[in-house]
């Protein structure tokens, strides 16, 4: 059973295309929400920090709750398949609302009402997204009982989903090279709604394909009512050391998001001007320069991330997942330090390209491998306790991803506050904004540049520490998987053919 393949190629491709659709929409939030809140809506930095942290506290409850719901209930259409089609339209509408000025919908753009509106849209978006994300990434567990085949399905899904993220990241940058748009004083006001509408309209129909084309082959009986002496779901998680280590590593790896999410801020305020004199530059030239700087960093991130994702399936049989994670994090740390030193002292952003690419390799490795490791840990927990918590495993991954994005956002905004950058002064428009941005101190420029160099480097170094103690590998893992297959037969778990 271990080596048998269950999933036809066209079904695996469909799942990956659905992940592409999800990536188109999710990257809107993960890459640009900070820039939109800080530099378009001009929200209070402390409000944004508190919103991100409080939303993550709620996620700590909401994500596992969703995991338990999908584990305990099965519809006639399947356990996980109905959710993408149910949630696609609400996610599309909420994404558009999140990146459009509240005044567009008749909401006062100043004062308490706007803050309440922004917070409500962001939190509701997160809840609805969780309702689709947890079931979607749980699907590979019911598509095949072969853990190696499952790893490849997850790997391909994450890789193609990453392509969706890259498309989203590129769109606002491309808009900056269109003179009719970049010359406008309200360019930042219009580029984000264009991005959100485009990605929602394209992405969500692709995402819904998983509801129609993916097959759940493993029929797991609905959970029976837990007796008084049985461990609770959360208790099983907190007693699963391998899973806790992977989750902790995922939380510490928040810096891997920085090259994408901090790139717009670096482009605005780090003081890199490519072939222009900020003292005499026009608004169009400044916007074009920002797009160029952001594009360089984002392309490097995409090359490193996708390069590692493409190569990863060929490395699974040669290296343990833990080794891949630790090795890529160590390389990313060294590259981040070198990017900081070379970029700052030479003022040559192009000289940093190799280091940015190496720094981005862990972005691909962690995105893919941590998800595979989570479900390996769910296998371990099933072997140890007799319970299979697929939804809970996906909810752990969902929580880790969202808290990583939140920590990245908090780090960016905290840096604004630490070096006292006045966003309102920088967004007056026209010559005043250009002068304000070009006269920031050297220390302020350095602080913003560190967001894509030093901060992610330290984060990657910390990520490797918990993984040193992860031991669900080698012979231990092979023994557990072999015994688990026998236990599943005893529990009456049915596996359908192709």
């Amino acid at each position: 059973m271990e080596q048998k393949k269950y999933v036809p190629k066209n079904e695996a491709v469909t799942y990956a295309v659905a992940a592409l659709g999800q990536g188109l929409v999710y990257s809107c939030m993960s890459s640009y929400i900070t820039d939109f809140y800080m530099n378009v809506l001009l929200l209070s930095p402390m409000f944004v920090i508190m919103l991100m942290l409080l939303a993550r506290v709620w996620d700590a409850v909401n994500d596992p709750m969703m995991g338990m719901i999908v584990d305990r209930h099965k519809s006639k259409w399947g356990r996980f398949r109905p959710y993408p089609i149910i949630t696609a339209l609400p996610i599309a509408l909420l994404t558009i609302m999140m990146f459009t000025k509240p005044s567009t919908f008749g909401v006062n753009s100043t004062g308490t009402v706007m803050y309440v509106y922004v917070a409500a849209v962001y939190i509701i978006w997160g809840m609805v997204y969780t309702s689709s994300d947890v079931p979607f990434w749980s699907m590979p567990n019911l598509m095949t009982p072969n853990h190696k085949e499952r790893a490849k399905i997850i790997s391909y899904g994450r890789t193609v989903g990453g392509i969706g993220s890259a498309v989203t990241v590129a769109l606002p940058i491309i808009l900056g090279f269109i003179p009719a748009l970049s010359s406008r004083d309200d360019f930042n006001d219009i580029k984000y709604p264009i991005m959100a509408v485009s990605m929602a309209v394209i992405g969500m129909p692709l995402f819904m394909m998983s509801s129609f084309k993916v097959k759940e082959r493993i029929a797991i009986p609905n959970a029976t009512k837990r007796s008084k002496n049985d461990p609770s779901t959360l208790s099983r998680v907190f007693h699963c050391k391998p899973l806790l280590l992977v989750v902790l590593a995922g939380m510490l790896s928040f810096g891997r998001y920085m090259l994408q999410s901090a790139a717009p801020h670096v482009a605005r305020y780090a003081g890199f001007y490519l072939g222009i004199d900020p003292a005499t530059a026009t608004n169009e030239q400044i916007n074009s320069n920002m797009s160029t700087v952001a594009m360089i960093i984002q392309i490097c991130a995409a090359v490193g991330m996708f390069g590692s994702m493409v190569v990863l399936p060929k490395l699974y049989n040669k290296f343990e997942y833990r080794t891949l994670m630790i090795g890529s994090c160590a390389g990313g740390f060294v590259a981040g330090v070198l990017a900081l030193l070379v970029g700052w002292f030479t003022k040559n952003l192009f000289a940093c390209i190799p280091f940015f690419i190496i720094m981005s390799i862990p972005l691909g490795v962690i995105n893919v491998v941590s998800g595979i490791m989570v479900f390996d840990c769910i296998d371990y927990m099933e072997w140890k306790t007799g319970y299979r918590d697929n939804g809970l495993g996906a909810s752990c991954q969902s929580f880790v991803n969202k808290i990583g994005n939140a920590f990245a956002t908090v780090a960016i905004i905290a840096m604004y506050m630490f070096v006292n950058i006045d966003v309102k002064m920088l967004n007056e428009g026209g010559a005043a904004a250009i002068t304000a941005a070009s006269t920031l101190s050297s220390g302020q420029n350095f602080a913003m540049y560190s967001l894509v160099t030093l901060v992610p480097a330290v984060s990657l170094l910390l990520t490797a520490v918990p993984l040193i103690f992860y031991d669900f590998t080698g012979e231990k893992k092979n023994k557990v998987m072999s015994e688990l297959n026998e236990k599943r037969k005893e529990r009456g778990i049915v596996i359908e053919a192709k």
Side-chain angles (χ1 to χ4, degrees):
M1 178 185 297
E2 176 65 13
Q3 299 302 319
K4 182 180 177 180
K5 300 292 196 273
Y6 291 83
V7 182
K9 184 177 180 179
N10 63 337
E11 184 179 333
V13 169
T14 298
Y15 183 80
V17 170
L20 167 68
Q22 187 196 48
L24 288 172
V25 173
Y26 182 74
S27 188
C28 293
M29 184 280 294
S30 63
S31 297
Y32 288 117
I33 194 63
T34 314
D35 193 50
F36 181 73
Y37 282 169
M38 294 290 292
N39 294 303
V40 177
L41 296 187
L42 304 181
L43 299 178
S44 160
M46 185 54 68
F47 167 79
V48 179
I49 286 179
M50 293 305 298
L51 174 61
M52 296 297 160
L53 294 180
L54 291 175
R56 297 298 78 81
V57 171
W58 170 237
D59 283 337
V61 177
N62 183 47
D63 286 16
M65 187 185 301
M66 188 64 206
M68 288 185 278
I69 288 172
V70 297
D71 278 332
R72 293 178 181 178
H73 300 283
K74 179 181 179 181
S75 73
K76 63 180 180 180
W77 297 283
R79 192 176 295 275
F80 304 133
R81 291 172 61 232
Y83 292 95
I85 195 170
I86 293 171
T87 58
L89 181 59
I91 290 174
L93 295 175
L94 287 164
T95 301
I96 294 169
M97 292 172 67
M98 191 160 55
F99 282 96
T100 305
K101 277 194 167 183
S103 57
T104 306
F105 304 106
V107 177
N108 190 343
S109 290
T110 60
T112 304
V113 174
M114 182 183 70
Y115 280 88
V116 172
Y117 172 86
V118 168
V121 170
Y122 181 80
I123 291 172
I124 295 171
W125 183 93
M127 293 174 62
V128 178
Y129 181 83
T130 293
S131 300
S132 67
D133 188 56
V134 170
F136 178 75
W137 290 106
S138 298
M139 284 183 183
N141 287 278
L142 298 190
M143 292 168 69
T144 174
N146 184 332
H147 71 96
K148 292 184 178 179
E149 188 176 32
R150 180 185 67 200
K152 289 184 178 180
I153 292 170
I154 294 174
S155 184
Y156 294 144
R158 293 288 183 188
T159 301
V160 179
I163 295 173
S165 300
V167 171
T168 303
V169 166
L171 183 56
I173 295 173
I174 293 170
L175 295 176
F177 293 109
I178 302 175
L181 296 176
S182 62
S183 60
R184 295 176 52 157
D185 288 340
D186 64 347
F187 170 65
N188 289 313
D189 295 355
I190 63 174
K191 71 178 181 181
Y192 287 128
I194 292 173
M195 171 195 72
V197 171
S198 301
M199 298 302 96
V201 169
I202 297 171
M204 285 298 95
L206 295 178
F207 182 56
M208 287 191 295
M209 290 174 60
S210 59
S211 292
F212 299 103
K213 299 296 185 179
V214 170
K215 185 175 182 180
E216 297 181 1
R217 291 172 181 78
I218 303 177
I220 299 178
N222 282 328
T224 56
K225 186 175 180 180
R226 185 171 64 90
S227 67
K228 186 189 300 185
N229 296 325
D230 287 340
S232 67
T233 303
L234 291 180
S235 174
R236 294 195 293 272
V237 170
F238 284 108
H239 283 85
C240 184
K241 178 184 173 183
L243 180 59
L244 292 178
L245 291 172
V246 174
V247 169
L248 177 58
M251 294 171 66
L252 292 172
S253 71
F254 71 91
R256 75 187 194 270
Y257 296 103
M258 300 296 283
L259 259 72
Q260 292 178 316
S261 60
H265 307 273
V266 172
R268 287 179 188 272
Y269 306 130
F272 287 96
Y273 297 102
L274 308 178
I276 64 170
D277 181 356
T280 59
T282 64
N283 197 45
E284 179 183 340
Q285 288 174 321
I286 289 292
N287 283 328
S288 180
N289 180 78
M290 286 169 47
S291 291
T292 302
V293 172
M295 181 181 66
I296 290 171
I297 299 173
Q298 298 283 16
I299 288 177
C300 290
V303 170
M305 179 174 68
F306 294 130
S308 64
M309 286 179 165
V310 169
V311 172
L312 275 173
K314 300 177 182 178
L315 302 179
Y316 293 152
N317 292 328
K318 297 180 180 180
F319 300 98
E320 297 282 0
Y321 299 140
R322 178 185 67 176
T323 303
L324 293 171
M325 292 270 282
I326 293 175
S328 65
C329 287
F333 167 74
V334 174
V337 173
L338 291 174
L340 176 71
L341 298 175
V342 172
W344 187 250
F345 288 109
T346 68
K347 294 297 182 181
N348 186 341
L349 196 64
F350 295 101
C352 298
I353 288 177
F355 306 120
F356 285 144
I357 292 174
I358 296 171
M359 278 184 68
S360 303
I361 290 174
L363 176 58
V365 174
I366 296 171
N367 282 352
V368 174
V369 176
S370 64
I372 297 172
M373 292 175 73
V374 163
F375 285 114
D376 279 355
C377 294
I378 296 301
D379 287 337
Y380 175 80
M381 193 161 61
E382 180 187 359
W383 169 79
K384 193 172 183 179
T385 67
Y387 290 91
R388 179 75 190 182
D389 300 303
N390 292 311
L392 188 64
S395 71
C396 288
Q397 185 70 9
S398 176
F399 175 70
V400 165
N401 289 339
K402 287 193 287 186
I403 203 168
N405 275 300
F407 285 172
T409 298
V410 168
I412 293 168
I413 299 170
M415 191 65 77
Y416 273 86
M417 299 171 67
F418 180 70
V419 298
N420 196 29
I421 291 180
D422 188 346
V423 175
K424 291 185 178 180
M425 176 187 71
L426 293 163
N427 281 273
E428 292 178 357
I434 294 172
T435 301
S438 62
T439 55
L440 291 175
S441 71
S442 177
Q444 289 172 317
N445 293 151
F446 179 83
M448 300 310 290
Y449 183 56
S450 72
L451 289 173
V452 293
T453 52
L454 184 60
V455 174
V458 172
S459 170
L460 291 172
L461 184 64
L462 293 175
T463 300
V465 175
L467 297 173
I468 295 172
F469 303 97
Y470 181 88
D471 64 352
F472 188 42
T473 60
E475 290 301 319
K476 178 178 180 179
K477 179 178 175 181
N478 292 334
K479 176 177 180 293
V480 167
M481 296 308 302
S482 177
E483 293 180 3
L484 184 58
N485 286 329
E486 297 302 318
K487 290 185 177 183
R488 284 172 174 168
K489 293 179 183 178
E490 295 172 3
R491 290 175 55 205
I493 293 178
V494 179
I495 301 173
E496 299 179 22
K498 285 187 181 182

